[in-house]
């Protein structure tokens, strides 16, 4: 599977853009590689040179979207003054941005079972992207002070709680930024690794 970085060529980016558009229009299960090839103006052979099958293409699209999502969160938190705890703000931003993503929202609404399968299948890739974003959000040297294990645990907890909030029904509304902050303060913050609670950001 192609890497989520800048090493992709123009044809690969065109394929990923086309796949994203087709997923948005028809849903992931109903999109064939022929549809993607037609929209990207490439041959099926060009797609198969880069992606072994449709699942591989789906994985690459989701990895790219996760990269963009968490990179955007990192920039947002780096340039804006947090309204509350930095971890609460990171979680709130992740939830708000995820809910604005048309393909992700459609997938959650139309195919929650598939969403859960993909979340599990691409768990490690998503956690890596969150770790990369945290390295940007943290002040210089902070990640080294708390250690790689704490960064990894924070990334894992962020992904787990986000999936829980996106996929599971709630008895109370958790839609607005303030409602998400309240949820994160009551449920997400207590899950933080001890190293994070002991060392101020």
């Amino acid at each position: 599977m192609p890497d989520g970085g800048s090493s992709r060529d123009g044809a690969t980016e065109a394929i990923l853009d086309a796949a994203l558009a087709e997923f948005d229009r028809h849903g992931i299960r109903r999109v064939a590689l022929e549809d993607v090839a037609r929209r990207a103006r490439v041959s099926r052979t060009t797609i198969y040179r880069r992606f072994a099958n449709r699942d591989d293409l789906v994985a690459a699209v989701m990895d790219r979207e996760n990269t963009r999502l968490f990179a955007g969160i990192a920039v947002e938190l780096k340039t804006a003054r947090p309204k509350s705890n930095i971890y609460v703000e990171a979680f709130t931003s992740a939830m708000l941005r995820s809910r604005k993503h048309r393909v992700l929202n459609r997938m959650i609404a139309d195919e929650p079972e598939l969403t859960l399968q993909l979340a599990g299948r691409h768990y490690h890739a998503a956690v890596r992207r969150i770790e990369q974003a945290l390295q940007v959000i943290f002040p210089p040297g902070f990640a080294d002070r708390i250690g790689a294990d704490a960064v990894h645990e924070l990334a894992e907890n962020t992904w787990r709680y986000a999936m829980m909030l996106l996929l599971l029904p709630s008895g109370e509304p958790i839609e607005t930024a303030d409602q998400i902050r309240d949820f994160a303060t009551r449920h997400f913050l207590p899950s933080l690794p001890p190293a994070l609670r002991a060392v101020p950001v």
Side-chain angles (χ1 to χ4, degrees), residues 4 20 48 57 71 81 95 109 116 119 138 171 174 197:
L20 186 65
Y48 281 118
L57 176 59
R81 172 174 290 184
M95 292 304 307
L116 189 58
F138 288 151
I174 312 176
R197 295 196 296 267

Side-chain angles (χ1 to χ4, degrees), residues 113-133:
E113 183 179 346
L114 175 62
T115 305
L116 189 58
Q117 291 174 1
L118 290 173
R121 190 179 307 160
H122 308 305
Y123 177 87
H124 296 292
V127 170
R128 282 196 302 272
R129 299 306 176 197
I130 298 174
E131 287 180 307
Q132 291 168 359

Side-chain angles (χ1 to χ4, degrees), residues 3-4 14 18 50 56 73 78 100 103 125-126 128 160 168 175 179 189 191-192:
D3 183 76
R50 292 161 172 80
D56 200 21
I73 293 168
K78 197 73 174 177
K100 290 178 182 177
V103 174
R128 282 196 302 272
R160 288 171 179 162
L168 296 180
E175 301 295 332
Q179 289 168 345
L189 271 186
S191 77
L192 292 181

Side-chain angles (χ1 to χ4, degrees), residues 15 30 57 68 80 82 85 98-99 116 121 127-128 130 134 154 158 162 166 181 195 198 201:
I15 292 167
R30 292 185 289 274
L57 176 59
R68 290 175 169 178
N85 179 283
S98 296
R99 286 175 171 168
L116 189 58
R121 190 179 307 160
V127 170
R128 282 196 302 272
I130 298 174
L134 290 173
L154 175 58
T158 301
L166 288 168
R181 286 188 187 100
V201 179

